[in-house]
Amino acid sequence: MKYLKRYKTFEEAEFDVSPTDTINVKKSKEQLSVVRDDIDEYNRVKPKLDLIYKNSKTDIEISKKVDELVGKDKEKRNPFLVSYLTVCDDERRMSNLIKSLSEDEMSVNRMKDMMSMTTDNKQKQNMKVSIDEIKNRSARTKSDISKLKLDIQKRRKDIELKTKDVLKGIQKDIKNITKS
């Protein structure tokens, strides 16, 4: 025993179903085991998902890597990871919007420079219309970014609260199971 570093891996499962358990206790233990496994998987896979979304260039590449990590069957995926995937998707969408916003600003500056160099009034008018369109699009993009930021913060808090509530519920259920 003194040579074992991690005894916990050799312990029996926390919610072993015994033959003497009632039907309700058996179901409760099975559900608790599933939920505990889902939370453990969520905590283990979450940093890997962050890396996938950070390092991948295309949406197809992200999709393939996520399917490899989480599973292709979307019905059987961990519900905590599914919630976190929506947060990751929104963060990626927000970063793409920020990139397009900076590109729009650069194109406005380029058009203003070209407008100052040209002498043709018709070209100036066309450039001015294009600049106005880009500015309108930029304003919409900025409002989308602010909405996404709020949504991302709310979803992150919801996920954290849900995991904490579920863990508290598990602890209560453990107490109830041990009492019965």
Side-chain angles (χ1 to χ4, degrees):
M1 277 307 238
K2 69 180 183 178
Y3 298 109
L4 288 177
K5 299 285 184 199
R6 292 186 181 172
Y7 179 71
K8 229 171 177 25
T9 56
F10 296 103
E11 287 180 0
E12 292 181 16
E14 192 173 354
F15 310 114
D16 275 343
V17 178
S18 66
T20 59
D21 289 339
T22 63
I23 295 173
N24 291 338
V25 173
K26 285 180 186 179
K27 287 183 181 180
S28 296
K29 286 182 178 181
E30 290 169 357
Q31 288 174 349
L32 289 175
S33 295
V34 169
V35 170
R36 171 72 83 184
D37 292 343
D38 284 349
I39 290 175
D40 290 343
E41 181 185 19
Y42 166 75
N43 289 328
R44 189 180 67 251
V45 173
K46 181 181 163 185
K48 293 176 185 177
L49 286 174
D50 289 335
L51 285 175
I52 288 172
Y53 275 86
K54 181 180 178 186
N55 296 332
S56 298
K57 305 243 186 272
T58 65
D59 291 337
I60 296 169
E61 183 181 353
I62 289 172
S63 173
K64 286 180 184 178
K65 289 181 179 181
V66 167
D67 285 346
E68 289 172 7
L69 187 63
V70 181
K72 288 187 178 186
D73 189 5
K74 294 185 180 185
E75 296 295 321
K76 295 181 181 179
R77 285 184 176 177
N78 183 335
F80 297 103
L81 289 174
V82 170
S83 298
Y84 191 70
L85 283 172
T86 59
V87 170
C88 291
D89 287 335
D90 285 348
E91 286 177 341
R92 181 164 174 83
R93 201 168 86 217
M94 186 173 74
S95 69
N96 288 339
L97 286 174
I98 290 171
K99 286 178 188 176
S100 71
L101 189 64
S102 64
E103 290 171 1
D104 285 346
E105 288 176 8
M106 289 188 333
S107 64
V108 164
N109 290 336
R110 232 178 300 128
M111 287 187 144
K112 283 182 179 179
D113 290 343
M114 288 176 23
M115 203 165 92
S116 65
M117 291 180 193
T118 188
T119 55
D120 186 17
N121 287 334
K122 191 170 186 173
Q123 274 187 336
K124 282 186 179 186
Q125 187 64 27
N126 289 339
M127 287 182 195
K128 185 171 172 69
V129 169
S130 297
I131 288 172
D132 290 339
E133 289 174 1
I134 292 172
K135 285 184 179 182
N136 289 336
R137 184 175 63 220
S138 294
R140 286 190 304 271
T141 303
K142 286 178 184 178
S143 70
D144 290 346
I145 289 171
S146 64
K147 287 178 187 176
L148 271 176
K149 280 183 183 180
L150 293 174
D151 286 345
I152 289 170
Q153 290 173 352
K154 184 181 181 289
R155 284 193 180 128
R156 280 189 181 273
K157 286 180 185 178
D158 289 346
I159 292 171
E160 289 176 27
L161 288 174
K162 184 178 179 182
T163 54
K164 286 179 184 178
D165 289 343
V166 167
L167 287 174
K168 286 179 186 177
I170 287 175
Q171 290 172 350
K172 286 180 184 177
D173 289 343
I174 291 170
K175 289 177 186 175
N176 293 336
I177 289 173
T178 55
K179 287 180 185 178
S180 59

